[in-house]
Amino acid sequence: MSAARVLETADEAVAGIEDGSTVLVGGFGLAGMPFDLIDALVRQGARDLTIVSNNAGNGDVGLAALLAAGRVRKVVCSFPRQSDSYVFDELYRAGRVELEVVPQGNLAERMRAAGAGIGAFFCPTGVGTILAEGRETRTIDGREYVLEYPIRGDYALVSAHRADGLGNLVYRKTARNFGPVMATAAGTTIVQVGEVVPVGALDPESVVTPCIYVDRVVAVATRTYTVEGAR
């Protein structure tokens, strides 16, 4: 069985992420966002990144900090604009970042397809909208579908609740969100957890992401992030 490397710091965990990489970033708003890994990525300095996430950042923390640092070329997400997405808004309006909007279910399924080795699939979401313009469609059993391709990442940054020494992961409630599918869809999966426990300490029935999908793990102190009101 493959075992993840358990590292001492978030900076070690993100070392080697190259310019131009596609990085899958877990999180649903602030829930489940790997803040420490993102902060380390800002320090690491990789540029021209394509970020795949549910949102395009909140306030000045997490993805918003990475965007503000000028490290992101393109964002692929479902909800780019919210009351506190002012960093992304300013960059997008200035033409300094590209955007690809993907419906939330399609986003999850496209990453799941990448992890499952599925070459492409047909989905009804988006049919008849600008999101389907120029795309292949097909009528199946009287319903129109649009062809979707997998989203693969060079890296995934994921936050989980606990890991064991091999890298098996358990999540906490809604913080689980995109973490499991992103872990399967990336060439290298990097995970921050609140605690690394001994092998055998996790109930096997509770393990959501097996260690075979995890490459690097770092334990970080639990911190609470809040976002100030929109500007």
Side-chain angles (χ1 to χ4, degrees):
M1 179 179 291
S2 173
R5 293 171 57 204
V6 179
L7 301 170
E8 294 293 325
T9 67
D11 295 278
E12 290 179 87
V14 302
I17 294 181
E18 304 89 356
D19 291 354
S21 295
T22 295
V23 184
L24 316 179
V25 181
F28 188 97
L30 301 181
M33 184 168 287
F35 289 102
D36 292 84
L37 294 178
I38 297 171
D39 290 347
L41 184 56
V42 173
R43 295 190 294 270
Q44 190 257 18
R47 295 183 169 275
D48 198 33
L49 301 173
T50 294
I51 297 297
V52 181
S53 192
N54 185 67
N55 305 84
N58 302 82
D60 298 300
V61 298
L63 280 182
L66 188 66
L67 284 157
R71 305 294 170 74
V72 180
R73 177 185 66 82
K74 180 179 181 180
V75 174
V76 180
C77 73
S78 298
F79 297 97
R81 300 194 68 229
Q82 306 163 99
S83 62
D84 59 0
S85 62
Y86 44 81
V87 172
F88 172 80
D89 283 359
E90 291 170 5
L91 291 171
Y92 182 72
R93 292 178 188 279
R96 294 169 56 193
V97 65
E98 299 176 34
L99 171 65
E100 179 182 345
V101 176
V102 180
Q104 190 177 68
N106 289 18
L107 186 70
E109 185 64 8
R110 287 175 67 183
M111 288 186 285
R112 192 197 71 81
I118 295 170
F121 62 94
F122 284 95
C123 179
T125 307
V127 169
T129 73
I130 61 173
L131 298 181
E133 288 181 358
R135 311 267 295 280
E136 180 181 345
T137 60
R138 182 176 298 182
T139 301
I140 302 172
D141 290 335
R143 188 174 186 184
E144 191 173 4
Y145 294 79
V146 62
L147 184 64
E148 297 281 2
Y149 289 95
I151 295 176
R152 298 180 177 86
D154 299 302
Y155 297 89
L157 305 184
V158 172
S159 177
H161 184 44
R162 290 191 181 97
D164 66 13
L166 291 174
N168 295 301
L169 305 179
V170 296
Y171 300 84
R172 187 174 185 275
K173 300 181 180 180
T174 58
R176 169 174 171 170
N177 52 69
F178 289 89
V181 292
M182 288 182 171
T184 68
T188 299
T189 296
I190 306 169
V191 183
Q192 70 170 65
V193 294
E195 180 183 17
V196 176
V197 300
V199 175
L202 297 179
D203 178 357
E205 295 296 329
S206 299
V207 171
V208 177
T209 299
C211 64
I212 194 170
Y213 294 113
V214 178
D215 299 284
R216 307 174 194 171
V217 173
V218 60
V220 300
T222 301
R223 293 188 284 174
T224 301
Y225 286 84
T226 58
V227 175
E228 300 296 330
R231 295 190 290 195

